[in-house]
Structures are given as structure tokens and as C-alpha cells.
Amino acid sequence: MPNTDMKEIAKKYGIFFGMLFAMSAVLIMFILLAHGSWKRGLTQTVQDGLNMYLPDSYVVGEFHEVDSTISTGTAVFSLKPRNATTSELSAYCILIRVPTLTGAQPALFLYSQRYGVRFVGYATDTGKAEHVLNADVGKSVISYWQRQVPKILEKAGVL
């Protein structure tokens, strides 16, 4: 009698863990399928931001994975000058989700060996919140992230 009870319990646990595994597999599949669309959306966001602040200056190139836990809040892209010549240095654009008074905002930073790190602006239409985002309270946050950009680029494998 106890042997049949154990078989019944094992069967129920097997069904439960089988369903759990199947649901996990479906979720992972959806994440992998959406990754390409996510990268294309980030690329377009960075390009739109660069066009807003630095019109006709750069074209967004390759996406670089950041090998760190910070990767959920950052994205690194290589940039190509629109009027590229072979003597120009490479540049990178880093999209970082920074905390502000209005909530987390995607900030654009530009890095080149010649000019270092520069804050470009926010990659969203800030509208009426522009004066709040540009307040002195945000300058310390921006300078903190400017110091972090070289470390992020190292983790992305581009420096």
C-alpha cells in the first residue's frame, strides 16, 4: 500500500515540475526572441537623442554587451561620424538610466579618446520637466556617471 502512495506522490510532483519547466522554457524563449527587437529599439532611441542634441554628427553602429550587473541600466554603442574620414577616432555612446527628480531617465554620454566623456542630454522628450532635469541637484549625478563611463566601457570590452 505505501508503495502505491509513493508512486502517486511522485507522479503529482513530476507533473508539477514538468509544468514549471515548460513555463520557464516558454518565458526564456520569449526573452530570447524579444532581445533583437529590444536592441533595435535602443539603437533608435540613441540615434534620435543624438539627432536632437548633435544633429548630423554621428550614426549609431554596433551594440556592445556590458559584462556586469550594471548591464540592465546601461547600453553601449559604437558611433561612426556621418562625414567619416580614416583619420577620425572612434567614439562610443553610452545610454545610462540615471535617477532624477522626475524618476529614472535615459541619459546619453559620449566618449572619445580625444575629448573624453561628455554628457549629451536625455534620450527622451523631457518637455516641461526640462528645467527640473537640468537643476543643480542633477549635476552631481551626471558627474558621477561621467566618472563611471570608462569603467562601463572596460566592462563592455571596448577600452
Side-chain angles (χ1 to χ4, degrees):
M1 188 89 155
N3 195 15
T4 58
D5 289 341
M6 290 301 287
K7 286 183 182 180
E8 190 64 31
I9 291 171
K11 182 179 176 183
K12 287 181 181 178
Y13 274 107
I15 291 171
F16 171 75
F17 284 111
M19 289 174 31
L20 191 63
F21 178 77
M23 287 189 302
S24 298
V26 168
L27 288 175
I28 289 170
M29 180 187 69
F30 281 127
I31 289 170
L32 292 175
L33 288 174
H35 193 66
S37 174
W38 174 75
K39 284 198 281 190
R40 284 190 299 280
L42 280 180
T43 303
Q44 188 60 48
T45 298
V46 169
Q47 187 65 60
D48 292 345
L50 288 174
N51 289 344
M52 183 170 36
Y53 293 105
L54 304 168
D56 298 326
S57 58
Y58 294 101
V59 176
V60 178
E62 182 183 353
F63 174 80
H64 300 278
E65 295 282 344
V66 179
D67 187 24
S68 172
T69 55
I70 202 168
S71 65
T72 58
T74 61
V76 176
F77 295 91
S78 56
L79 297 177
K80 299 173 190 151
R82 284 210 191 261
N83 301 320
T85 62
T86 55
S87 65
E88 290 187 16
L89 298 173
S90 61
Y92 298 96
C93 186
I94 302 90
L95 181 70
I96 301 174
R97 185 174 51 205
V98 297
T100 66
L101 294 174
T102 60
Q105 295 290 330
L108 292 173
F109 293 87
L110 202 61
Y111 175 84
S112 67
Q113 287 185 334
R114 183 181 297 175
Y115 301 112
V117 180
R118 181 176 98 163
F119 173 66
V120 177
Y122 295 98
T124 57
D125 181 19
T126 54
K128 292 181 180 180
E130 184 97 27
H131 70 285
V132 174
L133 292 173
N134 292 331
D136 287 340
V137 112
K139 287 186 171 55
S140 63
V141 173
I142 296 302
S143 65
Y144 168 79
W145 283 108
Q146 282 178 318
R147 291 188 306 271
Q148 298 303 313
V149 164
K151 296 174 188 173
I152 293 169
L153 291 173
E154 284 177 10
K155 293 193 182 288
V158 296
L159 283 187

